[in-house]
Amino acid sequence: MDKAALFKISYGLFLAGTATEEKENACIINTVMQVTSIPARVTLALQKRNLTHDLIIKKGSLALSILAQDCPLDTIAAFGLKSGRDVDKFLNVKYKTDGNKNPYLESESTAMLSLSVFDSRDMGTHTMFFCDVLDALLFNDKKPITYDLYRELKSGGKTEAAAISSAKKAEWVCSVCHYKYDGEIPFEELPDSYVCPVCKQPKSVFVKV
Ligand SMILES: Cc1cc2nc3c(=O)[nH]c(=O)nc-3n(C[C@H](O)[C@H](O)[C@H](O)COP(=O)(O)O)c2cc1C
């Protein structure tokens, strides 16, 4: 099986935000899909190790920011590469809250959905949440960012020489959390004990793209 084929599935990029009495948190996700229109229902999948996962289970609701193409890459890194277990992600960030007091980003987004979880399914590393759309706000007519565009923008941020050299180099991506390996040591030469720094999955889950 060529797992790189799975990267040909197109996705958007979203911020899943939730708040319990103890903690307000959010993380970047790409695994969102609208399933039905009447009633409006969506699914999303969260890694079990993410703090946001545990908080969504506890709260039963979340706000989903549909990120726009001009969402700063720093924002995606701040919410997608760090855990709320280690940092307060909303410190110094301007945000709003929905009817359930769940946090969302307005100026970085094109729209927002207020979601209530009505069911869930164990998917191994992830839990899939089945949600009703309780409310929806359209902020502007900006285009939503796709996962593909995000990856393009990330390499566009490099100098021309670096972009050319990384274009020539094969990229290794974690098939669980989509972290892109960018270390100095060629990926093939890393020890078998190497684990993804983001989701801690073993080296064997990385795929060449
Ligand atoms: C582009 C991108 C897409 C991601 N997609 C998902 C996803 O669909 N589901 C998920 O659980 N984590 C996804 N992540 C990883 C989480 O955002 C990341 O593990 C985050 O640090 C979790 O933070 P938390 O522990 O505060 O919840 C993605 C990260 C990035 C950068």
Side-chain angles (χ1 to χ4, degrees), residues 6 16 24 37 80-81 84 86 88 95 98 104 136 168 181 187:
L6 296 171
E24 195 160 41
S37 306
L81 300 178
D86 309 316
D88 179 354
Y95 65 95
D98 72 356
Y104 65 90
K168 283 182 188 157
Y181 175 72
F187 185 82

Side-chain angles (χ1 to χ4, degrees), residues 13 25-31 45-47 49-53 76 79-85 89 126 147 150 177-178 198:
L13 268 196
N25 196 55
C27 77
I28 299 293
I29 59 170
N30 61 274
T31 50
L46 267 288
Q47 288 177 62
R49 65 180 305 275
N50 288 350
L51 176 64
T52 312
H53 170 272
I76 297 175
F79 284 94
L81 300 178
K82 288 179 186 164
S83 176
R85 297 188 200 279
K89 295 195 196 175
H126 290 58
Y147 181 56
Y150 162 69
C177 73
H178 300 177
V198 176

Side-chain angles (χ1 to χ4, degrees), residues 151 155 158 161-173 180-188 208-209:
R151 292 178 66 205
S155 50
K158 292 178 183 168
I164 290 168
S165 96
S166 69
K168 283 182 188 157
K169 250 189 348 197
E171 287 182 343
W172 286 87
V173 177
K180 188 168 87 183
Y181 175 72
D182 63 356
E184 293 294 313
I185 304 167
F187 185 82
E188 290 88 340
K208 204 194 240 183
V209 292

Side-chain angles (χ1 to χ4, degrees), residues 50-61:
N50 288 350
L51 176 64
T52 312
H53 170 272
D54 295 355
L55 296 178
I56 290 175
I57 290 181
K58 201 163 179 193
K59 179 78 179 273
S61 65

Side-chain angles (χ1 to χ4, degrees), residues 9-31:
I9 299 176
S10 46
Y11 304 94
L13 268 196
F14 311 86
L15 185 79
T18 189
T20 62
E21 280 177 14
E22 300 83 45
K23 179 88 180 169
E24 195 160 41
N25 196 55
C27 77
I28 299 293
I29 59 170
N30 61 274
T31 50

